[in-house]
Amino acid sequence: MTLLTAVTAAVICTIIWYRSEQRTEMKLGILCLMFWSASLMWLVDAFFEYAELGADYFAPAASDMLNDLYLGLSVVALGLIIWLIILLIKDPKGVVRAALFKKDR
Amino acid sequence: MACFLVPTAEAVVTTIATKVIEKKEKNNTEVSVSADEISLESTGKIPFSKKLKWLNNMLWGGSALLAFEHVWHGEVVPYFPFLTAAEDPASAAEMLHEMATAGVMMAVLVTAVWGCMVATAGFLEKRTSDDKAAKEERS
């Protein structure tokens, strides 16, 4: 479920990256790469778990699925927060700098 | 258990390599512009340091999210020895085995995907420069 959530986030981010004209300014590439990479890592985890559990891997308990979904959504939220911090620090549009150093009239 | 440490270690190495390569690329360009600013349009090629940054983003981003999963499962704790598996030798051996198998596989897979991205970018660079040359020939 965590893998599925991460892959879904990666696909959505990639579509937004492809359609957006401000992809460079908004640093959307970082978000895409982060989610795709996490998906690849969880895919490896899934392979090892499948090798251990066999077909049972595809029949998880409902409570495990719910916990994994909760984890997956938390991971997506964390990814978005990391991206937002990078965006605000790099501040490609100068919005933060303009807000901080704006002179009072 | 601690499989995310392998991609993290690779991320440290590639980040250092990126900084070194970026410096070299800066020295090689006559105009003092950062590697980021050397765009595909101006040189016809994406600087290798920029390609390495893709790998850095993948490794750091993926490792951070995976580390969070380990915190979630109580495998990483905020006090010494930080990894619960490191508390006894049997668990430590299991952890090292997981790092050597799953961890290495993760790092290899991410690097392989990055390799495919670089190869595709190289192909597109070549096609773009070929198109440019053909246009110049026609005009």
Side-chain angles (χ1 to χ4, degrees):
Chain A
M1 205 66 182
T2 317
L3 171 64
L4 266 179
T5 318
V7 170
T8 308
V11 169
I12 292 170
C13 286
T14 308
I15 293 168
I16 294 171
W17 173 84
Y18 189 81
R19 289 178 59 97
S20 174
E21 282 175 12
Q22 296 185 320
R23 62 181 74 85
T24 314
E25 282 177 329
M26 293 300 290
K27 307 262 171 219
L28 286 171
I30 291 176
L31 196 59
C32 292
L33 290 175
M34 192 171 14
F35 284 138
W36 277 119
S37 172
S39 303
L40 287 172
M41 290 182 188
W42 270 308
L43 182 70
V44 172
D45 236 9
F47 271 125
F48 278 91
E49 227 172 301
Y50 176 74
E52 201 181 302
L53 300 174
D56 286 346
Y57 173 75
F58 298 106
S63 60
D64 288 343
M65 266 175 72
L66 195 66
N67 186 267
D68 278 353
L69 176 66
Y70 187 25
L71 169 62
L73 292 174
S74 305
V75 162
V76 172
L78 178 69
L80 290 171
I81 289 168
I82 293 172
W83 166 71
L84 199 62
I85 291 170
I86 293 170
L87 187 69
L88 293 178
I89 290 174
K90 295 210 170 175
D91 193 21
K93 285 188 164 186
V95 177
V96 178
R97 261 167 289 166
L100 285 176
F101 304 114
K102 191 171 70 180
K103 283 182 185 166
D104 293 326
R105 285 181 188 174
Chain B
M1 282 180 169
C3 48
F4 70 96
L5 289 178
V6 181
T8 309
E10 190 188 342
V12 171
V13 175
T14 56
T15 304
I16 295 167
T18 307
K19 296 283 171 204
V20 173
I21 292 169
E22 210 171 28
K23 227 176 198 177
K24 274 187 185 172
E25 282 173 349
K26 245 183 202 177
N27 290 340
N28 288 345
T29 32
E30 282 178 0
V31 193
S32 59
V33 287
S34 77
D36 271 345
E37 287 167 320
I38 309 164
S39 66
L40 180 69
E41 284 150 31
S42 60
T43 62
K45 270 195 168 186
I46 304 168
F48 188 66
S49 61
K50 195 173 181 183
K51 289 175 184 169
L52 262 178
K53 274 182 189 168
W54 301 342
L55 182 61
N56 291 341
N57 287 336
M58 288 175 88
L59 290 168
W60 282 119
S63 301
L65 298 185
L66 218 70
F68 176 74
E69 189 225 323
H70 287 73
V71 173
W72 182 281
H73 288 132
E75 291 163 350
V76 175
V77 284
Y79 48 84
F80 191 79
F82 305 108
L83 301 164
T84 45
E87 281 166 0
D88 68 283
S91 303
E94 203 182 323
M95 177 185 77
L96 289 173
H97 179 257
E98 201 198 77
M99 282 169 75
T101 51
V104 170
M105 271 289 285
M106 283 172 184
V108 167
L109 184 64
V110 170
T111 312
V113 169
W114 170 76
C116 292
M117 284 166 63
V118 170
T120 310
F123 171 73
L124 290 174
E125 279 168 8
K126 198 178 175 296
R127 208 168 68 173
T128 309
S129 64
D130 286 352
D131 284 353
K132 224 176 181 180
K135 257 185 197 172
E136 275 169 17
E137 252 177 52
R138 259 182 265 148
S139 60

